[in-house]
Amino acid sequence: MGQTSENPLPDTYYLDYFNFLLEFVQKNYHNILQSEEHQFIKKFNQLSHNGQCTFVRLANRKGPFFRQSKLAYREIDNIHLSIDELHRNEFISFGKEDVVSSFIFLFTKPEIINLSEAYGWDNFFKRNQRKEDIIFSIIEQVPSNEVFEILFDEDRIIFFESSPIVNFLKLLFFGDQYSDMTQFVMRDLGNIKLENFDNVDFTPNFHTREEVNEYITYIEAYQVFKEARELLTPVKVYTWFTDAEIESPTDYGSKSGKLYSKIVLKLGKLLEQGGFLLEALEIYRNTDQPPARERQVRLLMRLNEEVEAATIAQRILDNPKTATEALFAKDFLNAGAGRIKRSTTLSLKAANEISIVQDPGISVERQAVQHFRAQGYEAFHTENSLWRFLFGTIFWSETYDTTQNTFHHPLQRLPSDIQDKSFYDKRASAINDKLKKLRSKKIVLQTLDEVYAEKHGIANPYVYWSDNMLLLSKKAVELMPLKGLKEVLKMIAIQVKTNSTGFPDLFVYKNRNYHFYEIKSPTDQLSAQQLFWIDFMHKWNIKADVLKVTWES
């Protein structure tokens, strides 16, 4: 079967993608690859065409165990010969007695019951038990070598020995442990449209073998942590973390640093929820990523360590990483010895109200839209999407500036530093130059139209491509003050990760009158990020407020 209108990809598209990945990695990571990887690539290239196809098919499947009888691909002739070729070249092995408990799950429940009846294992379980329980009963009662021999006689079990090295090569290409080869397919099927990176010299994700190995260490630690928290008590997970002596990275903003901080924050929360305050405090001290410092302050107050709590709160206020951190520190220090009065709570109490007959079938935001439309306003639930659209289109060229060394492969949708402080630091001059050029609303509107026409459909998570969104964004530009618009866009760029969220729910206007409203039902709370944007918009004369909804009886 070749390419058709229904299937525009060639039969062995997956092999083309894998070969592209190998060539890309050899070119961009030659200083990182060692003899093991070079030897693997050499041996792979010496396989027959069918052998290569079979290898990649296995590499792309969830493994590492497979039943040979279940492998069948119309583009691969005599797949059993290809399996033997992979075995001769040590890319795969056949069965492993010591992991029989893993590959027995490849068999269906009826198959296991039939084998059990044939070999006298059916006395160890009841037929109505779950498959997992039946398997555990067999493993407990029957010697593993006996189970292995019988299963292997039933079907040849393949163990894909090459998973570690394939995962290593994919890590170099993609730069993370989550991405996979389906991204190639999505691009070539037209499911996603990517920015043009022709003639771009991509920057490596990693520069040294040590850097890669460090990241792999944290990947493995995070996997162990996820398993441990499901099986062990919080204290035992804490003991694992301290005994493992996982080193704190030098840069919390690096790939390794972010993964390490993720472990720390999740473990700290786990310990807090279990009531282990001292242990949680000790864990939170291992990172400065939010909300670690806030949690330290709260824990110290519960432990009656007011002086140290105030010291950390002052550090937060002097150098906040997010608006949420800054507001917490401000409220805490303003409280002194008294009870903390949250600015978000006070602002919510002071907000204006509208009264609506409740419709449980739709959201409170949608009901507020209907309320304003009934009064003759144009009203839309835009929330973050309008502002992200403005940010993404206005700063398109700055975001996709390939001279910033933040694009690492041709499938990338955003620069790798988009959620880091360095995004703005690296582009500050270009971003401020762009803002200066936006001397009038006419120029802003023209920029929106030009980028929309030229880049429409290109995958950018910050831009929702919609004619309606373009019209709403242009209307917002026409109505709000130009200076305020530019200040909001700049503030998003300064800290994209957090500042691209928390915007008011509704955009409401009638003629030249407009307003942005953060809608809150009687049970809703106002977040610090939402209050940040309301206050910031007030500062730059953009009409924005919190609006409470009360339900009519």
Side-chain angles (χ1 to χ4, degrees):
M1 183 183 73
Q3 288 177 270
T4 67
S5 58
E6 293 78 20
N7 179 30
L9 301 178
D11 285 345
T12 57
Y13 64 91
Y14 52 89
L15 179 57
D16 296 337
Y17 298 152
F18 191 73
N19 281 327
F20 178 87
L21 182 145
L22 292 182
E23 292 171 10
F24 187 94
V25 168
Q26 285 179 290
K27 175 185 175 183
N28 291 276
Y29 297 94
H30 58 88
N31 63 312
I32 289 179
L33 298 179
Q34 295 180 348
S35 58
E36 180 183 5
E37 291 86 41
H38 288 298
Q39 183 64 21
F40 163 82
I41 295 171
K42 180 180 178 180
K43 286 176 64 179
F44 175 81
N45 288 332
Q46 291 172 344
L47 290 174
S48 67
H49 178 74
N50 278 349
Q52 291 182 351
C53 288
T54 304
F55 177 92
V56 179
R57 281 293 195 183
L58 293 177
N60 289 342
R61 290 178 63 143
K62 186 176 180 180
F65 295 102
F66 307 98
R67 294 174 61 178
Q68 182 167 326
S69 67
K70 302 297 182 181
L71 301 177
Y73 304 99
R74 65 180 71 192
E75 77 277 9
I76 303 176
D77 297 325
N78 299 319
I79 195 170
H80 65 280
L81 297 179
S82 298
I83 293 295
D84 289 339
E85 181 184 11
L86 295 182
H87 182 246
R88 288 195 305 273
N89 285 277
E90 300 180 334
F91 288 117
I92 64 171
S93 59
F94 291 131
K96 283 182 175 287
E97 181 179 321
D98 56 337
V99 287
V100 66
S101 59
S102 296
F103 65 73
I104 190 175
F105 282 91
L106 297 174
F107 292 82
T108 66
K109 180 179 176 180
E111 286 176 320
I112 293 171
I113 290 175
N114 288 339
L115 284 171
S116 298
E117 290 175 345
Y119 293 96
W121 301 343
D122 52 327
N123 295 325
F124 304 135
F125 59 84
K126 296 180 180 179
R127 294 174 64 94
N128 62 354
Q129 285 183 279
R130 295 184 312 139
K131 173 183 172 180
E132 291 79 5
D133 295 331
I134 291 174
I135 288 174
F136 290 141
S137 296
I138 292 172
I139 292 172
E140 287 180 357
Q141 300 292 332
V142 183
S144 60
N145 63 323
E146 180 182 339
V147 177
F148 171 77
E149 289 174 4
I150 291 171
L151 292 178
F152 199 74
D153 284 343
E154 184 71 14
D155 197 351
R156 194 154 64 160
I157 305 300
I158 296 168
F159 177 69
F160 190 62
E161 298 276 2
S162 304
S163 289
I165 198 164
V166 170
N167 290 337
F168 180 80
L169 296 172
K170 288 197 292 187
L171 177 63
L172 293 181
F173 182 86
F174 290 110
D176 62 58
Q177 70 273 36
Y178 305 111
S179 302
D180 58 38
M181 306 299 283
T182 59
Q183 293 191 39
F184 286 98
V185 180
M186 292 173 65
R187 178 197 63 186
D188 291 348
L189 286 178
N191 294 338
I192 59 170
K193 180 181 176 183
L194 300 173
E195 181 59 288
N196 183 5
F197 291 124
D198 289 347
N199 303 316
V200 170
D201 290 327
F202 293 101
T203 302
N205 282 297
F206 307 95
H207 298 282
T208 66
R209 184 77 179 209
E210 291 71 26
E211 186 182 356
V212 187
N213 290 341
E214 179 188 61
Y215 186 48
I216 292 173
T217 297
Y218 290 114
I219 291 174
E220 293 171 348
Y222 183 59
Q223 293 301 322
V224 173
F225 167 74
K226 288 197 297 183
E227 294 172 8
R229 71 178 177 180
E230 296 297 324
L231 300 172
L232 306 177
T233 64
V235 169
K236 288 185 177 179
V237 181
Y238 164 81
T239 302
W240 160 78
F241 182 85
T242 53
D243 289 349
E245 297 182 347
I246 303 171
E247 292 187 11
S248 175
T250 55
D251 178 10
Y252 292 119
S254 67
K255 289 178 181 292
S256 295
K258 290 175 183 177
L259 202 48
Y260 175 81
S261 294
K262 193 173 183 179
I263 298 172
V264 167
L265 294 173
K266 288 181 179 292
L267 177 54
K269 183 177 180 179
L270 185 70
L271 291 166
E272 269 197 271
Q273 292 172 337
F276 303 101
L277 306 189
L278 286 172
E279 291 82 359
L281 178 62
E282 178 188 343
I283 292 300
Y284 282 131
R285 293 189 195 277
N286 286 285
T287 182
D288 64 356
Q289 296 301 292
R293 294 189 295 177
E294 176 184 339
R295 300 316 307 167
Q296 289 177 57
V297 172
R298 294 185 182 278
L299 287 169
L300 286 166
M301 291 300 294
R302 292 176 67 181
L303 294 166
N304 298 316
E305 298 288 347
E306 293 88 352
V307 174
E308 186 179 356
T311 300
I312 296 175
Q314 187 61 56
R315 284 194 210 125
I316 295 174
L317 194 61
D318 292 341
N319 185 25
K321 293 185 176 295
T322 65
T324 300
E325 265 203 333
L327 191 60
F328 164 76
K330 176 184 174 185
D331 289 347
F332 178 84
L333 293 170
N334 285 342
R339 187 168 179 265
I340 298 176
K341 296 180 179 180
R342 297 174 62 187
S343 297
T344 51
T345 302
L346 297 175
S347 296
L348 187 55
K349 285 183 178 179
N352 290 328
E353 296 182 359
I354 57 172
S355 183
I356 298 176
V357 177
Q358 185 178 14
D359 182 347
I362 59 175
S363 68
V364 65
E365 294 85 3
R366 182 64 185 165
Q367 292 177 74
V369 166
Q370 293 176 347
H371 168 84
F372 281 108
R373 288 179 177 174
Q375 296 185 1
Y377 288 89
E378 297 290 336
F380 301 90
H381 183 194
T382 57
E383 202 167 344
N384 301 320
S385 58
L386 184 148
W387 295 98
R388 289 161 71 103
F389 181 90
L390 288 167
F391 165 78
T393 50
I394 294 295
F395 292 137
W396 189 280
S397 60
E398 290 74 24
T399 299
Y400 290 94
D401 179 3
T402 57
T403 67
Q404 300 298 335
N405 300 322
T406 54
F407 285 92
H408 312 288
H409 62 80
L411 302 179
Q412 209 169 317
R413 305 185 191 187
L414 286 171
S416 56
D417 65 347
I418 188 70
Q419 294 194 335
D420 299 334
K421 182 176 178 294
S422 61
F423 175 82
Y424 178 77
D425 292 344
K426 288 181 178 180
R427 301 165 180 80
S429 177
I431 286 172
N432 288 310
D433 285 347
K434 170 63 70 67
L435 293 173
K436 287 178 183 178
K437 291 177 181 177
L438 302 178
R439 294 182 298 275
S440 67
K441 292 184 179 182
K442 180 179 179 180
I443 296 175
V444 177
L445 296 173
Q446 182 181 348
T447 302
L448 291 175
D449 282 334
E450 289 174 352
V451 173
Y452 190 85
E454 180 184 353
K455 304 296 183 180
H456 185 272
I458 293 178
N460 178 333
Y462 291 92
V463 178
Y464 172 60
W465 296 109
S466 155
D467 291 349
N468 190 48
M469 182 56 67
L470 175 63
L471 292 174
L472 284 175
S473 299
K474 291 172 71 173
K475 177 59 70 174
V477 170
E478 291 171 1
L479 295 177
M480 76 176 87
L482 178 61
K483 178 64 174 174
L485 167 64
K486 294 199 288 186
E487 290 297 332
V488 170
L489 293 177
K490 180 177 179 179
M491 184 54 65
I492 296 175
I494 287 173
Q495 200 170 67
V496 179
K497 181 178 181 179
T498 54
N499 287 350
S500 60
T501 64
F503 286 100
D505 297 307
L506 267 55
F507 174 42
V508 176
Y509 65 90
K510 182 195 291 186
N511 300 322
R512 300 300 301 173
N513 184 28
Y514 79 94
H515 223 103
F516 293 99
Y517 287 113
E518 179 61 42
I519 303 298
K520 293 299 175 188
S521 75
T523 56
D524 284 342
Q525 299 296 319
L526 184 66
S527 75
Q529 189 65 31
Q530 290 167 344
L531 179 57
F532 166 78
W533 276 124
I534 296 291
D535 290 344
F536 190 87
M537 290 178 175
H538 284 173
K539 177 181 177 181
W540 295 105
N541 300 313
I542 297 175
K543 297 177 183 178
D545 285 294
V546 180
L547 190 62
K548 291 189 292 187
V549 170
T550 59
W551 304 124
E552 293 181 5
S553 57

